[in-house]
Amino acid sequence: MPAQDSPDIGVEPETGSGSAGGPAAVPGPAPAPGSAPAPGTAPMPPAPVAAIDPEDPAARSTRVQMAAAVVAMLMLVGVGFHLLFVTLHVAPPNQASRKYADATDSWIYPLFEQNWRLFAPDPLNINVRVNARVQYKAADGTRTESAWFDLTGDDVDHIRGNPFPSKADQNLLRRAWDFYNSHHADDGTRTGGHALLSEQYLRRIVIGRLQDAGRADGIVAVQVRAVSTQIAPPGQGPIEPTVRELVWWEASPDDFR
Amino acid sequence: MTSVESTPGTPGGTQAAAVPGPAPGPQSGPVPLGKAPAARRVPLDVRIADGLLAFLGRITGRMRGTYQAALLRIGFGSVFLATLLREFLNRREIWGDQSPWSPGMARQLLSGIDGVSILLVRDDRWWFELMYVLAVAATAMFVLGWHTRATSVLFCVMVVSFNSRSILMTDGGDTVLLLMSFYLMFTASGRVWSLDARRARRTGLGRSPGPGQELGVFVALFAVVAVGLLLPWWYSLIGAAVVLLGLWRLPLELEQLRVAVVAAMHHCALFVIAAQVCVVYAAAGLFKVQGSRWQDGTAMHYALNLEYFQPWPVLSGIADGGAIWGTFIAYLTVFTQVGFMFLVFAKKAKYVVIAILLGMHMGIAVLLGLPAFSASMALGDLVFLPTAFLLFVQAQGARLRPRTLDR
């Protein structure tokens, strides 16, 4: 290292690394680590040509500016189309969104899907409790039925007093039930392409909870019911719940995890 | 700013077009004196062209809104990180091998909408656990702003993947998070308030590609691989080619063009983010206008009595406090949401609107037990805060720091 040649710097072990930029022309009073070589000494390496800041728009040639303008123009067109499609996707159904539904869907899914009917047009006015019971088959072939479990009740218990409730309590069963409902008529007729999927999801939720509790061995069938309680208008007394039972579903091996 | 406006337009445009105007005068004999001033006016089409060029010059020029982008990066990154960590004990039930929404079912639902998820690449537990750890790490790095552009891609991949794996687990907050994670990839969200900014300050190394950026290139390659697990393989081939170019310094003009394009992308993405927030409120408002319970003022009564959104029944009972209060809140909500996109461009009224919305989201966070949803929505509102305000907050923060850290 050149630093060692220099008499008065011998004690300064870090100079070599300190003046990494300047090939230590060297001498002089101990240079502070980061500083440029001392003044008044041998030829400086030419100061790096005042580098042009590529971010400085004023330093750009017309050619660069024009190319950038063209690219920016194309981006703006893209932005316009994106926002148009998003608007058509979220707006209340209208003649434009119907006419361009295919193009809109192909752009929106899967990344930009959104739905802003938050508590709208009206907030839900009903509390649904999803209950379930199961049939066990013993080794000798006899079937026994369990009592009803209040699955929603468990969720609500977990949410009470919790400042940051889990998705597993807030969304899992609640949205599974919505999913089932959106693919079935009130009498249980399958109406959507994912009807079977939504049924399997409910079965797996029920059986999964029983598996967690260690009570799933020998389950052969599952039944779900919804106990719905209307929220009374302000100032009125409570309303009696209504019960809707679904049919018994045979459990398949796929329903166990 | 002014220099940009003048340079592209003037040489070819304004003057060339403006000069010929008066020139014919002397040759064509007597000219009505009254016409002279009119002739000096720049024709409309030229002015439009000039305006357009000046506008394009501005969006390809110096970046604005870097503080807002950084705020969103830190905010949305933190929301996702908090969600991942909060659900640590439930992670396998929500996204993993213990989920009642099995990988097969997820694939069946996603196939209809071309959805993808990195969690569905393999079905075994260790893959899920690996991805979970990776998601936590990538999100933390994103919040800190470490090689931000690359980690922003990883962040988006993870947000998309966790959402798609269990679509039926998501709510409105997750939707906002998903949209923003995508838009944020295109912003320069690591310019300030980031490890990148600190490194740039300390080393003096710029952001341009070239020697010294090897680690960034490596992280970016990592992100490219993650993307390659979701999209057709040739996407990652193109991605890798682009990323590897970052090892060499570009010729000056190409580098200037790159910087200009990056700036334009940043500005477009910020605009889309702002527009997206407006779309959310406009849609939410328009749907509420159709609702009879919002009109008769009982909407809040019903919302506060839903068991799934009632962590503190006593508080909900207090908030559900009477006809005047309920009607006032219902109307305030609808007016604020419908009017959001108009008011937010008003210099002073926007503070009032933002304050009202922040208050509402605070209420939703506590009363309905939806802190993550509320935080995502509130972050959307904060995009509209001016840079001066953010710098003021930063200065206040800096004044506190010496007392807490240095001593």
Side-chain angles (χ1 to χ4, degrees):
Chain A
M1 286 270 91
Q4 283 159 345
D5 307 343
S6 159
D8 31 295
I9 295 190
V11 279
E12 195 77 46
E14 53 190 69
T15 330
S17 62
S19 55
V26 155
S35 73
T41 45
M44 300 279 103
V49 184
I52 294 179
D53 176 7
E55 290 183 24
D56 181 6
R60 290 174 194 160
S61 64
T62 311
R63 193 159 70 155
V64 170
Q65 281 175 346
M66 284 301 151
V70 169
V71 177
M73 206 52 176
L74 292 174
M75 278 184 200
L76 286 175
V77 173
V79 163
F81 270 102
H82 172 69
L83 292 177
L84 178 68
F85 281 133
V86 168
T87 306
L88 288 177
H89 173 64
V90 301
N94 56 69
Q95 56 169 344
S97 68
R98 275 192 297 276
K99 184 165 181 192
Y100 296 103
D102 289 342
T104 306
D105 284 354
S106 65
W107 177 254
I108 290 295
Y109 290 96
L111 213 44
F112 305 115
E113 186 193 0
Q114 47 195 298
N115 165 16
W116 302 114
R117 286 168 222 202
L118 308 167
F119 298 109
D122 280 316
L124 221 56
N125 68 333
I126 202 161
N127 278 311
V128 180
R129 290 220 165 189
V130 177
N131 299 353
R133 61 181 174 180
V134 294
Q135 272 181 11
Y136 297 99
K137 192 172 174 182
D140 60 0
T142 55
R143 289 188 171 217
T144 49
E145 229 167 67
S146 75
W148 288 102
F149 307 103
D150 188 358
L151 300 179
T152 303
D154 294 341
D155 289 348
V156 171
D157 286 346
H158 294 155
I159 290 169
R160 286 281 149 84
N162 191 335
F164 192 170
S166 168
K167 284 174 180 303
D169 293 321
Q170 261 178 339
N171 295 346
L172 197 151
L173 182 61
R174 181 177 65 86
R175 289 208 58 194
W177 179 249
D178 288 347
F179 186 45
Y180 172 88
N181 262 332
S182 62
H183 291 90
H184 291 81
D186 280 351
D187 62 356
T189 319
R190 292 172 185 146
T191 57
H194 292 308
L196 292 172
L197 199 60
S198 68
E199 292 172 17
Q200 192 190 6
Y201 190 30
L202 278 180
R203 278 200 305 276
R204 281 178 58 97
I205 292 173
V206 173
I207 294 175
R209 299 235 176 152
L210 288 168
Q211 281 180 303
D212 289 342
R215 295 166 59 188
D217 287 344
I219 292 179
V220 288
V222 176
Q223 189 184 26
V224 171
R225 72 173 183 188
V227 181
S228 308
T229 314
Q230 291 240 339
I231 297 170
Q236 293 184 22
I239 298 174
E240 278 300 297
T242 57
V243 179
R244 179 179 144 206
E245 279 188 20
L246 310 185
V247 294
W248 278 96
W249 288 321
E250 294 295 316
S252 79
D254 275 351
D255 297 339
F256 296 79
R257 54 169 196 246
Chain B
M1 224 50 33
T2 39
S3 56
V4 193
E5 283 163 18
S6 53
T7 26
T10 32
T14 322
Q15 284 163 8
V19 171
Q27 295 161 356
S28 52
V31 178
L33 277 174
K35 285 272 163 74
R40 218 178 296 129
R41 278 231 315 261
V42 182
L44 184 64
D45 54 343
V46 174
R47 273 186 308 181
I48 292 176
D50 267 358
L52 182 65
L53 281 174
F55 176 68
L56 292 174
R58 253 199 328 272
I59 63 175
T60 56
R62 296 258 183 217
M63 278 190 197
R64 297 129 155 256
T66 50
Y67 285 90
Q68 284 81 354
L71 179 71
L72 291 184
R73 180 195 84 234
I74 295 168
F76 285 108
S78 303
V79 169
F80 189 56
L81 192 61
T83 305
L84 286 175
L85 296 178
R86 190 263 169 268
E87 305 291 5
F88 176 75
L89 293 175
N90 304 317
R91 68 192 185 285
R92 292 172 68 194
E93 185 187 2
I94 297 176
W95 306 290
D97 55 324
Q98 298 281 308
S99 170
W101 188 246
S102 69
M105 298 162 83
R107 283 193 197 96
Q108 203 181 325
L109 191 63
L110 288 180
S111 67
I113 54 171
D114 297 326
V116 287
S117 170
I118 207 168
L119 297 174
L120 293 171
V121 170
R122 295 180 62 99
D123 285 359
D124 30 20
R125 182 179 172 192
W126 69 263
W127 176 260
F128 167 69
E129 301 287 14
L130 183 68
M131 289 303 121
Y132 178 84
V133 170
L134 200 63
V136 170
T139 306
M141 289 297 126
F142 179 62
V143 171
L144 294 174
W146 183 72
H147 297 290
T148 314
R149 190 71 72 166
T151 43
S152 75
V153 175
L154 280 174
F155 177 68
C156 180
V157 165
M158 288 305 171
V159 171
V160 169
S161 292
F162 278 73
N163 264 269
S164 305
R165 170 65 183 83
S166 302
I167 292 182
L168 293 172
M169 278 291 181
T170 57
D171 54 34
D174 298 297
T175 309
V176 175
L177 179 62
L178 175 72
L179 293 168
M180 294 303 173
S181 76
F182 183 80
Y183 298 146
L184 276 175
M185 286 196 297
F186 300 96
T187 65
S189 61
R191 282 296 175 98
V192 294
W193 296 344
S194 66
L195 291 180
D196 287 349
R198 194 180 67 160
R199 190 176 55 243
R201 263 198 318 275
R202 287 185 175 176
T203 65
L205 205 62
R207 282 171 291 262
S208 300
Q213 307 287 11
E214 289 80 8
L215 184 58
V217 169
F218 176 75
V219 180
L221 277 179
F222 199 70
V224 166
V225 171
V227 171
L229 289 172
L230 297 181
L231 301 178
W233 58 273
W234 48 270
Y235 276 88
S236 30
L237 214 60
I238 297 174
V242 171
V243 165
L244 282 173
L245 278 181
L247 290 173
W248 290 277
R249 206 178 292 285
L250 292 171
L252 177 63
E253 286 204 314
L254 217 51
E255 172 62 14
Q256 285 175 321
L257 179 60
R258 186 192 71 83
V259 168
V261 169
V262 167
M265 211 163 66
H266 166 80
H267 292 130
C268 284
L270 272 189
F271 175 70
V272 170
I273 288 173
Q276 176 73 62
V277 175
C278 291
V279 163
V280 171
Y281 284 121
L286 277 184
F287 281 112
K288 286 192 178 75
V289 167
Q290 304 172 22
S292 57
R293 296 207 179 91
W294 289 99
Q295 277 176 40
D296 77 2
T298 56
M300 201 173 56
H301 165 74
Y302 292 103
L304 286 170
N305 279 289
L306 292 169
E307 288 180 315
Y308 265 113
F309 302 102
Q310 206 178 39
W312 319 100
V314 176
L315 285 185
S316 298
I318 296 172
D320 184 14
I324 301 271
W325 170 247
T327 309
F328 170 70
I329 293 290
Y331 277 59
L332 184 67
T333 305
V334 175
F335 271 98
T336 313
Q337 292 193 340
V338 174
F340 181 82
M341 79 159 87
F342 308 107
L343 290 175
V344 95
F345 293 108
K347 270 213 162 62
K348 284 182 185 147
K350 79 172 169 187
Y351 290 101
V352 179
V353 176
I354 291 174
I356 291 174
L357 284 169
L358 287 181
M360 282 179 182
H361 290 137
M362 197 84 86
I364 290 172
V366 176
L367 291 173
L368 302 189
L370 295 166
F373 166 84
S374 302
S376 290
M377 289 297 189
L379 282 166
D381 307 338
L382 296 182
V383 191
F384 294 96
L385 290 178
T387 306
F389 183 84
L390 297 178
L391 288 175
F392 169 76
V393 173
Q394 182 191 22
Q396 297 302 310
R399 262 180 33 189
L400 293 175
R401 198 180 304 145
R403 258 175 285 158
T404 51
L405 283 187
D406 292 357
R407 280 179 202 170

